[in-house]
PDB file of all heavy atoms in Angstrom:
ATOM      1  N   ARG B 230     -35.611 -46.653  69.636  1.00 96.00           N
ATOM      2  CA  ARG B 230     -36.775 -45.867  69.299  1.00 96.00           C
ATOM      3  C   ARG B 230     -37.072 -44.602  70.227  1.00 96.00           C
ATOM      4  O   ARG B 230     -36.704 -44.537  71.321  1.00 96.00           O
ATOM      5  CB  ARG B 230     -37.936 -46.746  69.455  1.00 96.00           C
ATOM      6  CG  ARG B 230     -38.195 -47.863  68.382  1.00 96.00           C
ATOM      7  CD  ARG B 230     -39.537 -48.402  68.625  1.00 96.00           C
ATOM      8  NE  ARG B 230     -39.876 -49.532  67.682  1.00 96.00           N
ATOM      9  CZ  ARG B 230     -40.438 -49.340  66.511  1.00 96.00           C
ATOM     10  NH1 ARG B 230     -40.640 -48.072  66.133  1.00 96.00           N
ATOM     11  NH2 ARG B 230     -40.692 -50.257  65.700  1.00 96.00           N
ATOM     12  N   ARG B 231     -37.684 -43.657  69.469  1.00 96.00           N
ATOM     13  CA  ARG B 231     -38.295 -42.598  70.307  1.00 96.00           C
ATOM     14  C   ARG B 231     -39.714 -42.276  69.556  1.00 96.00           C
ATOM     15  O   ARG B 231     -39.706 -41.681  68.498  1.00 96.00           O
ATOM     16  CB  ARG B 231     -37.510 -41.413  70.264  1.00 96.00           C
ATOM     17  CG  ARG B 231     -38.087 -40.165  70.981  1.00 96.00           C
ATOM     18  CD  ARG B 231     -37.160 -38.978  71.133  1.00 96.00           C
ATOM     19  NE  ARG B 231     -36.726 -38.531  69.921  1.00 96.00           N
ATOM     20  CZ  ARG B 231     -35.538 -38.118  69.589  1.00 96.00           C
ATOM     21  NH1 ARG B 231     -34.607 -37.978  70.497  1.00 96.00           N
ATOM     22  NH2 ARG B 231     -35.290 -37.722  68.278  1.00 96.00           N
ATOM     23  N   GLY B 232     -40.739 -42.948  70.209  1.00 95.00           N
ATOM     24  CA  GLY B 232     -42.156 -42.813  69.539  1.00 95.00           C
ATOM     25  C   GLY B 232     -42.102 -43.590  68.251  1.00 95.00           C
ATOM     26  O   GLY B 232     -41.701 -44.760  68.157  1.00 95.00           O
ATOM     27  N   ALA B 233     -42.474 -42.889  67.158  1.00 95.00           N
ATOM     28  CA  ALA B 233     -42.567 -43.546  65.878  1.00 95.00           C
ATOM     29  C   ALA B 233     -41.314 -43.583  65.038  1.00 95.00           C
ATOM     30  O   ALA B 233     -41.291 -43.982  63.915  1.00 95.00           O
ATOM     31  CB  ALA B 233     -43.838 -42.951  65.089  1.00 95.00           C
ATOM     32  N   ASP B 234     -40.270 -42.970  65.692  1.00 98.00           N
ATOM     33  CA  ASP B 234     -39.061 -42.787  65.018  1.00 98.00           C
ATOM     34  C   ASP B 234     -37.885 -43.588  65.632  1.00 98.00           C
ATOM     35  O   ASP B 234     -38.028 -44.104  66.722  1.00 98.00           O
ATOM     36  CB  ASP B 234     -38.668 -41.372  64.945  1.00 98.00           C
ATOM     37  CG  ASP B 234     -39.564 -40.478  64.150  1.00 98.00           C
ATOM     38  OD1 ASP B 234     -40.384 -40.861  63.153  1.00 98.00           O
ATOM     39  OD2 ASP B 234     -39.723 -39.276  64.380  1.00 98.00           O
ATOM     40  N   ILE B 235     -36.789 -43.689  64.779  1.00 98.00           N
ATOM     41  CA  ILE B 235     -35.534 -44.155  65.436  1.00 98.00           C
ATOM     42  C   ILE B 235     -34.689 -42.808  65.811  1.00 98.00           C
ATOM     43  O   ILE B 235     -34.532 -42.107  64.932  1.00 98.00           O
ATOM     44  CB  ILE B 235     -34.783 -45.033  64.347  1.00 98.00           C
ATOM     45  CG1 ILE B 235     -35.529 -46.139  63.933  1.00 98.00           C
ATOM     46  CG2 ILE B 235     -33.360 -45.440  64.894  1.00 98.00           C
ATOM     47  CD1 ILE B 235     -35.997 -47.134  64.973  1.00 98.00           C
ATOM     48  N   ALA B 236     -34.337 -42.809  67.132  1.00 98.00           N
ATOM     49  CA  ALA B 236     -33.568 -41.734  67.655  1.00 98.00           C
ATOM     50  C   ALA B 236     -32.169 -41.798  67.282  1.00 98.00           C
ATOM     51  O   ALA B 236     -31.486 -40.846  67.196  1.00 98.00           O
ATOM     52  CB  ALA B 236     -33.954 -41.496  69.129  1.00 98.00           C
ATOM     53  N   ALA B 237     -31.569 -43.023  67.538  1.00 98.00           N
ATOM     54  CA  ALA B 237     -30.206 -43.213  67.468  1.00 98.00           C
ATOM     55  C   ALA B 237     -29.844 -44.575  67.237  1.00 98.00           C
ATOM     56  O   ALA B 237     -30.631 -45.488  67.474  1.00 98.00           O
ATOM     57  CB  ALA B 237     -29.567 -42.768  68.814  1.00 98.00           C
ATOM     58  N   ALA B 238     -28.590 -44.826  66.623  1.00 98.00           N
ATOM     59  CA  ALA B 238     -28.053 -46.162  66.540  1.00 98.00           C
ATOM     60  C   ALA B 238     -27.103 -46.368  67.756  1.00 98.00           C
ATOM     61  O   ALA B 238     -26.214 -45.482  68.045  1.00 98.00           O
ATOM     62  CB  ALA B 238     -27.247 -46.321  65.302  1.00 98.00           C
ATOM     63  N   ASP B 239     -27.337 -47.496  68.557  1.00 98.00           N
ATOM     64  CA  ASP B 239     -26.595 -47.706  69.646  1.00 98.00           C
ATOM     65  C   ASP B 239     -25.411 -48.573  69.261  1.00 98.00           C
ATOM     66  O   ASP B 239     -25.493 -49.643  68.547  1.00 98.00           O
ATOM     67  CB  ASP B 239     -27.393 -48.590  70.650  1.00 98.00           C
ATOM     68  CG  ASP B 239     -26.613 -49.076  71.856  1.00 98.00           C
ATOM     69  OD1 ASP B 239     -25.774 -48.344  72.364  1.00 98.00           O
ATOM     70  OD2 ASP B 239     -26.737 -50.242  72.218  1.00 98.00           O
ATOM     71  N   THR B 240     -24.119 -48.067  69.606  1.00 98.00           N
ATOM     72  CA  THR B 240     -22.912 -48.674  69.089  1.00 98.00           C
ATOM     73  C   THR B 240     -22.062 -48.887  70.278  1.00 98.00           C
ATOM     74  O   THR B 240     -22.203 -48.451  71.402  1.00 98.00           O
ATOM     75  CB  THR B 240     -22.085 -47.796  68.120  1.00 98.00           C
ATOM     76  OG1 THR B 240     -21.334 -46.918  68.749  1.00 98.00           O
ATOM     77  CG2 THR B 240     -23.076 -47.123  67.162  1.00 98.00           C
ATOM     78  N   ASP B 241     -20.880 -49.693  70.016  1.00 97.00           N
ATOM     79  CA  ASP B 241     -19.923 -49.954  71.135  1.00 97.00           C
ATOM     80  C   ASP B 241     -19.049 -48.773  71.382  1.00 97.00           C
ATOM     81  O   ASP B 241     -18.280 -48.831  72.189  1.00 97.00           O
ATOM     82  CB  ASP B 241     -19.124 -51.250  70.943  1.00 97.00           C
ATOM     83  CG  ASP B 241     -18.455 -51.137  69.400  1.00 97.00           C
ATOM     84  OD1 ASP B 241     -18.747 -50.154  68.766  1.00 97.00           O
ATOM     85  OD2 ASP B 241     -17.602 -51.953  69.287  1.00 97.00           O
ATOM     86  N   ARG B 242     -19.257 -47.629  70.683  1.00 97.00           N
ATOM     87  CA  ARG B 242     -18.500 -46.537  70.824  1.00 97.00           C
ATOM     88  C   ARG B 242     -19.404 -45.334  70.914  1.00 97.00           C
ATOM     89  O   ARG B 242     -19.063 -44.192  70.381  1.00 97.00           O
ATOM     90  CB  ARG B 242     -17.553 -46.281  69.612  1.00 97.00           C
ATOM     91  CG  ARG B 242     -16.436 -47.404  69.531  1.00 97.00           C
ATOM     92  CD  ARG B 242     -15.714 -47.404  68.206  1.00 97.00           C
ATOM     93  NE  ARG B 242     -14.818 -46.287  68.278  1.00 97.00           N
ATOM     94  CZ  ARG B 242     -14.034 -45.876  67.222  1.00 97.00           C
ATOM     95  NH1 ARG B 242     -13.937 -46.810  66.150  1.00 97.00           N
ATOM     96  NH2 ARG B 242     -13.246 -44.933  67.199  1.00 97.00           N
ATOM     97  N   GLY B 243     -20.504 -45.501  71.657  1.00 96.00           N
ATOM     98  CA  GLY B 243     -21.436 -44.355  71.948  1.00 96.00           C
ATOM     99  C   GLY B 243     -22.527 -44.420  70.764  1.00 96.00           C
ATOM    100  O   GLY B 243     -22.648 -45.115  69.835  1.00 96.00           O
ATOM    101  N   GLU B 244     -23.681 -43.520  71.060  1.00 98.00           N
ATOM    102  CA  GLU B 244     -24.703 -43.391  70.104  1.00 98.00           C
ATOM    103  C   GLU B 244     -24.372 -42.577  68.876  1.00 98.00           C
ATOM    104  O   GLU B 244     -23.637 -41.568  68.975  1.00 98.00           O
ATOM    105  CB  GLU B 244     -25.984 -42.820  70.757  1.00 98.00           C
ATOM    106  CG  GLU B 244     -26.554 -43.874  71.832  1.00 98.00           C
ATOM    107  CD  GLU B 244     -27.823 -43.353  72.369  1.00 98.00           C
ATOM    108  OE1 GLU B 244     -28.251 -42.084  72.208  1.00 98.00           O
ATOM    109  OE2 GLU B 244     -28.769 -44.310  72.917  1.00 98.00           O
ATOM    110  N   ILE B 245     -25.090 -42.759  67.667  1.00 98.00           N
ATOM    111  CA  ILE B 245     -25.110 -42.056  66.528  1.00 98.00           C
ATOM    112  C   ILE B 245     -26.497 -41.574  66.315  1.00 98.00           C
ATOM    113  O   ILE B 245     -27.360 -42.330  66.040  1.00 98.00           O
ATOM    114  CB  ILE B 245     -24.588 -42.873  65.185  1.00 98.00           C
ATOM    115  CG1 ILE B 245     -23.147 -43.434  65.576  1.00 98.00           C
ATOM    116  CG2 ILE B 245     -24.586 -41.932  64.129  1.00 98.00           C
ATOM    117  CD1 ILE B 245     -22.738 -44.358  64.407  1.00 98.00           C
ATOM    118  N   GLU B 246     -26.682 -40.177  66.493  1.00 98.00           N
ATOM    119  CA  GLU B 246     -27.874 -39.588  66.359  1.00 98.00           C
ATOM    120  C   GLU B 246     -28.090 -39.175  64.980  1.00 98.00           C
ATOM    121  O   GLU B 246     -27.066 -38.824  64.242  1.00 98.00           O
ATOM    122  CB  GLU B 246     -28.120 -38.450  67.204  1.00 98.00           C
ATOM    123  CG  GLU B 246     -28.183 -38.764  68.800  1.00 98.00           C
ATOM    124  CD  GLU B 246     -28.548 -37.759  69.514  1.00 98.00           C
ATOM    125  OE1 GLU B 246     -28.500 -36.591  69.186  1.00 98.00           O
ATOM    126  OE2 GLU B 246     -28.894 -37.998  70.845  1.00 98.00           O
ATOM    127  N   ALA B 247     -29.264 -39.329  64.331  1.00 98.00           N
ATOM    128  CA  ALA B 247     -29.451 -38.800  62.920  1.00 98.00           C
ATOM    129  C   ALA B 247     -30.977 -38.623  62.761  1.00 98.00           C
ATOM    130  O   ALA B 247     -31.881 -38.898  63.473  1.00 98.00           O
ATOM    131  CB  ALA B 247     -28.938 -39.903  61.920  1.00 98.00           C
ATOM    132  N   ASP B 248     -31.296 -38.050  61.667  1.00 98.00           N
ATOM    133  CA  ASP B 248     -32.701 -37.832  61.243  1.00 98.00           C
ATOM    134  C   ASP B 248     -33.229 -39.053  60.559  1.00 98.00           C
ATOM    135  O   ASP B 248     -34.548 -39.278  60.468  1.00 98.00           O
ATOM    136  CB  ASP B 248     -32.844 -36.556  60.393  1.00 98.00           C
ATOM    137  CG  ASP B 248     -32.333 -35.370  61.013  1.00 98.00           C
ATOM    138  OD1 ASP B 248     -32.746 -34.965  62.174  1.00 98.00           O
ATOM    139  OD2 ASP B 248     -31.426 -34.700  60.362  1.00 98.00           O
ATOM    140  N   ALA B 249     -32.433 -39.803  59.870  1.00 98.00           N
ATOM    141  CA  ALA B 249     -32.892 -41.093  59.247  1.00 98.00           C
ATOM    142  C   ALA B 249     -31.737 -42.069  59.203  1.00 98.00           C
ATOM    143  O   ALA B 249     -30.677 -41.686  59.332  1.00 98.00           O
ATOM    144  CB  ALA B 249     -33.278 -40.667  57.703  1.00 98.00           C
ATOM    145  N   PHE B 250     -32.246 -43.277  59.214  1.00 98.00           N
ATOM    146  CA  PHE B 250     -31.235 -44.450  59.253  1.00 98.00           C
ATOM    147  C   PHE B 250     -31.539 -45.360  58.133  1.00 98.00           C
ATOM    148  O   PHE B 250     -32.619 -45.726  57.702  1.00 98.00           O
ATOM    149  CB  PHE B 250     -31.353 -45.250  60.720  1.00 98.00           C
ATOM    150  CG  PHE B 250     -31.153 -44.338  61.829  1.00 98.00           C
ATOM    151  CD1 PHE B 250     -32.108 -43.431  62.194  1.00 98.00           C
ATOM    152  CD2 PHE B 250     -29.918 -44.319  62.394  1.00 98.00           C
ATOM    153  CE1 PHE B 250     -31.649 -42.602  63.314  1.00 98.00           C
ATOM    154  CE2 PHE B 250     -29.525 -43.565  63.470  1.00 98.00           C
ATOM    155  CZ  PHE B 250     -30.513 -42.666  63.914  1.00 98.00           C
ATOM    156  N   VAL B 251     -30.328 -45.817  57.483  1.00 98.00           N
ATOM    157  CA  VAL B 251     -30.383 -46.702  56.385  1.00 98.00           C
ATOM    158  C   VAL B 251     -29.660 -48.057  56.864  1.00 98.00           C
ATOM    159  O   VAL B 251     -28.476 -47.863  57.067  1.00 98.00           O
ATOM    160  CB  VAL B 251     -29.674 -46.097  55.082  1.00 98.00           C
ATOM    161  CG1 VAL B 251     -29.624 -47.339  54.019  1.00 98.00           C
ATOM    162  CG2 VAL B 251     -30.377 -44.826  54.552  1.00 98.00           C
ATOM    163  N   VAL B 252     -30.379 -49.106  56.785  1.00 98.00           N
ATOM    164  CA  VAL B 252     -29.789 -50.347  57.125  1.00 98.00           C
ATOM    165  C   VAL B 252     -29.405 -51.108  55.912  1.00 98.00           C
ATOM    166  O   VAL B 252     -30.162 -51.443  55.057  1.00 98.00           O
ATOM    167  CB  VAL B 252     -30.804 -51.257  58.019  1.00 98.00           C
ATOM    168  CG1 VAL B 252     -30.138 -52.588  58.296  1.00 98.00           C
ATOM    169  CG2 VAL B 252     -31.190 -50.576  59.328  1.00 98.00           C
ATOM    170  N   ALA B 253     -28.123 -51.221  55.721  1.00 98.00           N
ATOM    171  CA  ALA B 253     -27.479 -51.889  54.520  1.00 98.00           C
ATOM    172  C   ALA B 253     -26.516 -52.793  54.945  1.00 98.00           C
ATOM    173  O   ALA B 253     -25.372 -52.863  54.177  1.00 98.00           O
ATOM    174  CB  ALA B 253     -26.953 -50.816  53.583  1.00 98.00           C
ATOM    175  N   SER B 254     -26.596 -53.505  55.918  1.00 98.00           N
ATOM    176  CA  SER B 254     -25.553 -54.343  56.518  1.00 98.00           C
ATOM    177  C   SER B 254     -25.827 -55.773  56.249  1.00 98.00           C
ATOM    178  O   SER B 254     -25.286 -56.750  56.883  1.00 98.00           O
ATOM    179  CB  SER B 254     -25.531 -54.180  58.022  1.00 98.00           C
ATOM    180  OG  SER B 254     -26.656 -54.231  58.577  1.00 98.00           O
TER     181      SER B 254
END
Side-chain angles (χ1 to χ4, degrees):
R230 279 188 181 276
R231 182 173 56 211
D234 295 336
I235 302 299
D239 174 42
T240 84
D241 58 351
R242 298 173 65 180
E244 289 192 336
I245 300 175
E246 295 184 346
D248 302 306
F250 296 82
V251 175
V252 177
S254 51

